[in-house]
Amino acid sequence: MKKKPKVLVVSYYWYPFAGVGTYRVSRFVKYLQRLGWDVVILTAKKAATGHIADPDDPLLKSVKVYRSSIFEPTQLLSNKKSGNTSSTHDPSIFYSKNKGILAKIAVWMRLNILIPDAKLTWKWFAVPLGKKVIKQEAPDIIFSTSPPPTTHRIAQQLAAWSKIPWLADFRDPWTNIYYYDDNPLSPLAQKKNKELENQILHSADRVTVVNHGFFDKIPDSVQTKIHRITNGFDPDHITTEESKPQRNERFTIRYFGSLKMNQRPTAFLEALSQIENKTPEIAQRMRFEFFGSLDPTIEKDLESICTRISFKKNSFIKHSDMMALLPKSDLLLLSIGNSKNSSYALSTKVFEYMISGSNVLGIGPVEGAAAEVVSTTGIGKFFDRTDTSRVYAYLMSCFEAFDRNEYTFNDRNESMEKYSFSELTNQLDSTLKQLIR
């Protein structure tokens, strides 16, 4: 009987600690298993994340998981009594206008001392455990995924020690990560991060990225081993229910996930304000529901704007609950961050919205990757963050369709198929097997 290929996955984010960091790697693991792979996970005992995975998710039981200890230095700067946390696992801290002294110290440490990230000490525990795992499990290849970049440094040491091939996957850029635009590193920290990034790019046998443009000025020898595998949707999450959802009492706009200050959807907020002022009778028939982590400043803006429009902020909900609410929304808001590399951003949210059937209102770079996906798949419209007049017009046209009881549903089409994680994992499977051979 032919032996199954086995991959050791190094990921800081893993079940039961769920969130955006877990989604891409968990879908790869799920579909690699279906393609006949044995998968072993090396992760941390406790990840800094906002919510717990659905306990019924099969991945909680179908994968062998090894968890190493971890110590995060910024935890020492958390004031639990006052509720003032300085944890830097949440990028929102970089944009907070009212940071306390502990948070300011934590941000400075994160940018200039904790290189490449606040998880750097995880390597002390993960590498020794990883060596034991390799001896015991005998994987054929190592797959690491970032952020945080420390995962790649762990995999780098394990690959050098074991002589096993290694693929490094980048969900986000490293030295070009968006929050460095408004929170620049010191020259010394910037140099050190760039050196570490170059070491990873040169050491890895293959590199996968969500989108091109993650790295600056890389030599041809590195460029040839970079392969783009976008984010996507899980086809198992597509509902088979053909019936029209029950009509909402009010025209309902929803947002799911984190909304940080660098994602502030200015045109959307100003368009809501215009609806409030110009057509109060329509405002009274609209609502905006937020699920996730909302920047306090944006929350105050919404509370100030929405006097007639119903606004409600909710915390994170289970992924299965989110997927159930998506098709019951009259409009889904998507907001891409404002940074020098925002045109490359391609979050998993785009694809979860894609398979919901609901219309999407996108805010961000109109020439960017997210705008291209929304346009080519026909799931909605994308606007510049300052294009208030066109966002207002689109909101009103969507409301008018709702008022006429016209149910607009975006059918699954051929242009969406290349973003299915079953197809994307076929690409990863091929790349991994090439390295093993």
Side-chain angles (χ1 to χ4, degrees):
M1 185 175 178
K2 188 177 179 181
K3 175 182 174 289
K4 285 185 176 182
K6 182 180 287 190
V7 57
L8 171 61
V9 174
V10 184
S11 177
Y12 172 77
Y13 297 100
W14 189 253
Y15 290 42
F17 306 106
V20 66
T22 313
Y23 187 77
R24 176 177 170 89
V25 64
S26 65
R27 298 312 96 184
F28 279 150
V29 167
K30 173 181 177 177
Y31 286 99
L32 282 174
Q33 287 180 312
R34 293 189 184 182
L35 290 170
W37 284 82
D38 274 340
V39 182
V40 178
I41 307 292
L42 175 61
T43 188
K45 284 186 177 177
K46 182 171 178 58
T49 187
H51 55 293
I52 303 298
D54 186 339
D56 297 325
D57 194 308
L59 279 177
L60 283 168
K61 300 175 181 178
S62 66
V63 183
K64 187 177 288 188
V65 180
Y66 293 87
R67 302 182 186 275
S68 75
S69 300
I70 183 170
F71 167 71
E72 299 187 35
T74 52
Q75 290 176 347
L76 297 175
L77 298 174
S78 178
N79 188 340
K80 295 180 180 178
K81 289 184 179 179
S82 67
N84 175 23
T85 179
S86 56
S87 176
T88 59
H89 74 267
D90 182 354
S92 294
I93 193 173
F94 294 108
Y95 294 94
S96 174
K97 294 182 178 180
N98 300 308
K99 290 190 288 286
I101 185 64
L102 293 179
K104 289 179 180 178
I105 294 172
V107 168
W108 184 87
M109 284 180 59
R110 166 60 189 90
L111 295 174
N112 299 292
I113 303 297
L114 305 180
I115 299 171
D117 54 70
K119 317 296 184 290
L120 79 165
T121 57
W122 180 35
K123 186 162 64 77
W124 304 346
F125 308 97
V127 170
L129 178 59
K131 290 179 178 180
K132 293 178 182 178
V133 172
I134 289 172
K135 286 180 180 178
Q136 182 173 326
E137 298 289 344
D140 299 292
I141 193 165
I142 299 170
F143 174 91
S144 57
T145 180
S146 69
T150 288
T151 56
H152 295 319
R153 299 193 68 205
I154 293 166
Q156 181 186 33
Q157 283 196 229
L158 294 176
W161 171 80
S162 65
K163 310 302 180 188
I164 296 173
W166 161 43
L167 187 151
D169 177 62
F170 287 80
R171 304 188 310 276
D172 285 313
W174 180 339
T175 56
N176 281 334
I177 192 75
Y178 65 90
Y179 47 76
Y180 287 164
D181 289 356
D182 299 309
N183 301 273
L185 304 173
S186 69
L188 186 61
Q190 191 173 26
K191 180 182 177 183
K192 182 61 177 175
N193 270 286
K194 196 65 182 177
E195 287 174 353
L196 292 174
E197 181 183 65
N198 285 332
Q199 287 177 19
I200 297 302
L201 294 177
H202 282 85
S203 300
D205 296 287
R206 197 65 58 87
V207 175
T208 51
V209 293
V210 166
N211 209 352
H212 296 305
F214 277 17
F215 311 111
D216 294 329
K217 298 177 182 178
I218 51 178
D220 291 342
S221 59
V222 172
Q223 186 66 57
T224 55
K225 59 182 175 182
I226 296 179
H227 178 52
R228 179 179 183 244
I229 303 181
T230 68
N231 281 323
F233 64 86
D234 187 339
D236 287 350
H237 290 157
I238 297 175
T239 179
T240 57
E241 187 177 320
E242 298 290 339
S243 60
K244 173 181 175 181
Q246 185 176 353
R247 188 174 189 266
N248 291 313
E249 182 182 346
R250 293 189 180 203
F251 176 78
T252 302
I253 308 166
R254 292 191 174 105
Y255 184 100
F256 297 85
S258 297
L259 190 63
K260 302 174 284 293
M261 270 306 291
N262 79 313
Q263 295 173 273
R264 187 181 191 275
T266 302
F268 173 72
L269 298 178
E270 291 179 351
L272 290 185
S273 181
Q274 288 189 13
I275 292 171
E276 283 271 355
N277 295 324
K278 293 180 179 179
T279 53
E281 69 283 358
I282 290 178
Q284 290 174 347
R285 297 180 59 197
M286 298 179 71
R287 69 180 170 198
F288 177 48
E289 295 182 350
F290 187 97
F291 297 84
S293 174
L294 178 59
D295 182 273
T297 302
I298 302 177
E299 184 177 356
K300 287 181 181 178
D301 289 341
L302 281 162
E303 289 173 345
S304 173
I305 291 168
C306 297
T307 57
R308 297 178 181 87
I309 297 171
S310 172
F311 166 63
K312 185 178 181 182
K313 175 186 175 294
N314 306 276
S315 57
F316 284 105
I317 58 176
K318 290 195 304 183
H319 187 266
S320 57
D321 292 339
M322 180 192 78
M323 296 305 293
L325 275 177
L326 289 177
K328 297 175 182 176
S329 306
D330 298 301
L331 191 63
L332 296 169
L333 175 64
L334 174 69
S335 186
I336 302 299
N338 184 24
S339 71
K340 67 178 182 180
N341 293 304
S342 58
S343 60
Y344 302 119
L346 200 54
S347 71
T348 57
K349 192 184 309 174
V350 180
F351 305 99
E352 291 172 323
Y353 282 9
M354 178 188 294
I355 60 174
S356 71
S358 298
N359 284 319
V360 175
L361 165 60
I363 303 289
V366 293
E367 302 296 330
E372 180 185 3
V373 170
V374 170
S375 174
T376 57
T377 57
I379 60 174
K381 300 290 184 181
F382 220 93
F383 305 95
D384 184 87
R385 64 184 65 256
T386 60
D387 196 353
T388 302
S389 60
R390 293 184 66 206
V391 171
Y392 171 80
Y394 184 61
L395 282 172
M396 292 300 290
S397 68
C398 290
F399 173 81
E400 288 165 3
F402 165 85
D403 192 42
R404 294 191 300 267
N405 203 21
E406 293 179 1
Y407 179 66
T408 56
F409 191 87
N410 295 311
D411 293 323
R412 188 176 176 189
N413 56 64
E414 193 173 321
S415 62
M416 298 180 184
E417 294 306 311
K418 64 181 179 180
Y419 300 115
S420 164
F421 259 110
S422 59
E423 172 57 33
L424 297 171
T425 309
N426 284 336
Q427 299 176 37
L428 179 61
D429 168 72
S430 176
T431 301
L432 292 171
K433 286 177 178 174
Q434 287 174 15
L435 292 177
I436 291 175
R437 288 196 294 266

